[in-house]
């Protein structure tokens, strides 16, 4: 199963990921990305991939476990 890795040091809180996949991503009170799922469901893979590509800071990546 694929998991989403985040580099909070790179996250700038643009929220493009939240727009692309709101059931997977959210922003914390500190304005940083939060991942709402433990692993990427195959049905959500395209939305997650789009969200990762939409991150202008390059803070997200998909890792196969």
């Amino acid at each position: 199963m694929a998991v989403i890795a985040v580099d909070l040091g790179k996250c700038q809180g643009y929220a493009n990921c939240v727009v692309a996949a709101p059931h997977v991503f959210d922003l914390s009170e500190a304005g940083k990305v939060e991942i709402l799922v433990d692993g990427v469901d195959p049905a959500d893979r395209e939305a997650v991939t789009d969200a990762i590509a939409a991150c202008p800071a390059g803070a997200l990546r998909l890792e196969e476990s």
Side-chain angles (χ1 to χ4, degrees):
M1 175 178 279
V3 294
I4 304 162
V6 61
D7 182 340
L8 292 175
K10 288 183 177 179
C11 180
Q12 298 297 308
Y14 292 109
N16 293 6
C17 56
V18 178
V19 172
H23 55 289
V24 177
F25 301 98
D26 200 0
L27 289 184
S28 69
E29 289 184 21
K32 301 286 185 171
V33 66
E34 287 185 332
I35 300 170
L36 304 175
V37 297
D38 290 328
V40 178
D41 187 290
D44 293 330
R45 183 138 186 156
E46 185 176 352
V48 169
T49 301
D50 290 346
I52 290 169
C55 180
L60 301 168
R61 68 183 180 281
L62 201 57
E63 296 180 346
E64 298 296 331
S65 57

